[in-house]
């Protein structure tokens, strides 16, 4: 076989550009040690910058020793290195919880690519596990060579088109797996030839875990009759990945003009056959990073969206999200507790106020001639509250004062957003409502000093 480092270079060179930052997920096991060694050998030629990250799951009594081994390994090779400790909640699947914690840590890393050491044996195991779980085409496509960077909402500059909230996106690093066509046996042979050292995770022998059961009990039996099963299953995964891409392309075409600002028009489903309607819903959910629900749950979500009366409340729980319908559109809303019924917080002149109870950050930027007049706020305390019912506001001086309920309905603000909407009060007078505006009596004019409130729903509330 060609040199393993050369095979890694062949995979990497078509994707990575000079000066890109590659961060190896270094567990200390033979797979990740071989990956780090092969990347170090080709880094200068390809011009990328290499570093390593060890995730300490704190599950094994040997976890500290593994982190120390990885640090020593990188120090000896002059490779920048750091450790991140994660908490893995105990539950039905420690494997899944550890994986979720690991990928969350990867998502926050400063890098262009997170490089992982999954190989052809891992790919075969993943295909079989997904098949036994009844996964669909995307699940059976298993792990791709490259999973491109994904955006996530972050504290931002500017305003979104619909709600007038600040919004922007930062990119998670891409995930790169250059060993997917390399077998475990080839990796171990490379490590022995290069006289590399590594650590052994004792949990890899525990057949209680599903992957280990397949690896130690099932696949050796398959190998006796089908010795090429690794390459065969990897090839099947590639065929399924091609099919998954075609399904996504079809869904994108079916959803063109119907998906806007994170919502999906219900009418998009009415013109499609049932299979394509389900495919479009899966595409919409996947676009929000949602783990795909089972077929029964997906069918129930589609049924409620299409069959419920116009004024009916559509609410389908999908893990950490809830699927809701409003004004003919489907929205995915992250599940969370309602704000305290009598929430109140004093404003003391801060430019930004974190409001985790309401799920966002309120910015109060200095302004002149627009926004809330500082003079009219007077000496009375300024507080932030939530709706209690019966509030009235006059955002347009040419029109009479109206109920906040009617103003919110007219603004077509979804009901679930109204619960956590910040209301600014001066004494007992309602001054401003996010997404609606400033009351006529408090609007700044001319060049008088003012503040301009901006509500950032969904922002990170951990202010510096």
């Amino acid at each position: 076989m060609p040199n393993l480092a050369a095979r890694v270079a062949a995979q990497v060179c078509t994707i990575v550009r000079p000066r890109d930052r590659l961060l190896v997920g270094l567990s200390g096991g033979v797979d990740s040690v071989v990956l780090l060694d092969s990347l170090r050998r080709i880094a200068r030629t390809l011009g990328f910058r290499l570093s390593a990250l060890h995730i300490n799951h704190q599950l094994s009594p040997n976890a500290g020793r593994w982190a120390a081994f990885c640090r020593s390994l990188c120090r000896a090779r002059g490779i920048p290195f750091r450790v991140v400790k994660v908490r893995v909640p105990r539950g039905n699947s420690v494997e899944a919880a550890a994986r979720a914690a690991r990928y969350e840590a990867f998502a926050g890393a400063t890098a262009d690519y997170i490089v992982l050491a999954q190989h052809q044996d891992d790919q075969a195991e993943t295909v079989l596990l997904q098949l036994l779980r009844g996964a669909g085409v995307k699940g059976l496509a298993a792990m791709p060579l490259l999973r491109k960077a994904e955006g996530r909402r972050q504290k931002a500059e500017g305003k979104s088109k619909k709600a007038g909230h600040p919004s922007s996106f930062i990119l998670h690093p891409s995930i790169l797996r250059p060993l997917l066509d390399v077998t475990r046996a080839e990796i171990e042979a490379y490590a022995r030839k290069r006289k590399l050292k590594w650590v052994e995770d004792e949990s890899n022998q525990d057949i209680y875990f599903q992957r280990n059961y397949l690896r130690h009990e099932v696949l050796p039996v398959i190998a006796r009759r089908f010795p090429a099963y690794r390459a065969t299953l990897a090839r099947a995964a590639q065929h399924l990945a091609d099919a998954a891409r075609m399904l996504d392309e079809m869904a994108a075409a079916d959803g063109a003009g119907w998906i806007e600002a994170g919502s999906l028009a219900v009418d998009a489903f009415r013109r499609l056959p049932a299979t394509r309607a389900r495919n479009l819903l899966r595409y919409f959910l996947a676009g929000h990073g949602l783990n795909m629900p089972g077929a029964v749950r997906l069918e129930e979500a589609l049924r409620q969206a299409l069959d419920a009366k116009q004024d009916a409340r559509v609410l389908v729980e999908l893990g950490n999200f809830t699927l809701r319908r409003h004004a003919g559109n489907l929205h995915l809303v992250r599940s969370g507790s309602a704000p305290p019924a009598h929430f109140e917080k004093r404003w003391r002149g801060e430019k930004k106020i974190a409001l985790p109870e309401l799920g966002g950050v309120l910015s109060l930027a200095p302004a002149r001639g627009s926004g809330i007049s500082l003079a009219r706020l007077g000496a009375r305390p300024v507080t932030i509250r939530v709706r209690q019912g019966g509030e009235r506001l006059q955002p347009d001086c040419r029109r009479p004062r109206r109920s906040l309920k009617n103003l919110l309905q007219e603004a077509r603000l979804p009901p679930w957003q109204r619960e956590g909407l910040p209301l600014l009060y001066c004494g007992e007078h309602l001054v401003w409502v996010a997404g609606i505006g400033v009351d006529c009596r408090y609007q700044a004019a001319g060049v008088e000093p003012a503040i301009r409130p901006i509500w950032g729903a969904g922002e990170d509330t951990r202010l510096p």
Side-chain angles (χ1 to χ4, degrees), residues 26 28-29 32-34 36-37 40 52 67-79 81 196-198:
L26 184 65
S32 63
V33 168
V34 164
L36 185 72
D37 185 78
R40 178 173 171 266
F69 168 81
C70 292
R71 178 175 284 108
S72 176
L73 181 75
C74 290
R75 183 183 296 125
R77 289 160 173 76
I79 297 171
F81 171 79
L196 301 177
K197 294 180 180 180
W198 62 88

Side-chain angles (χ1 to χ4, degrees), residues 355-383:
L355 301 172
E357 303 88 345
L358 309 186
V361 173
L362 179 61
S363 300
L364 296 137
R368 282 193 174 273
S370 65
I372 302 170
S373 166
L374 284 173
R376 297 179 201 184
L377 288 178
R380 286 171 293 184
V382 177
T383 54

Side-chain angles (χ1 to χ4, degrees), residues 163 165 362 372 385 387 391-395 403-405 407-408 413 417-418 421-425 430-439 453 455:
H165 297 156
L362 179 61
I372 302 170
R385 308 179 193 176
R387 290 179 66 203
E391 297 90 354
R392 299 181 70 81
L393 192 75
Q394 188 183 7
S403 73
L404 181 55
K405 178 180 178 180
L407 288 168
L408 291 170
L413 202 68
Q417 289 184 11
R418 301 173 197 174
L421 211 59
L423 279 59
L424 200 68
Y425 278 81
L430 180 57
V431 174
W432 169 85
V433 177
I436 302 299
V438 180
D439 188 81
W455 172 233

Side-chain angles (χ1 to χ4, degrees), residues 392-403:
R392 299 181 70 81
L393 192 75
Q394 188 183 7
D396 187 342
C397 296
R398 299 165 299 181
R399 300 182 67 184
R401 188 170 301 277
R402 301 169 62 199
S403 73

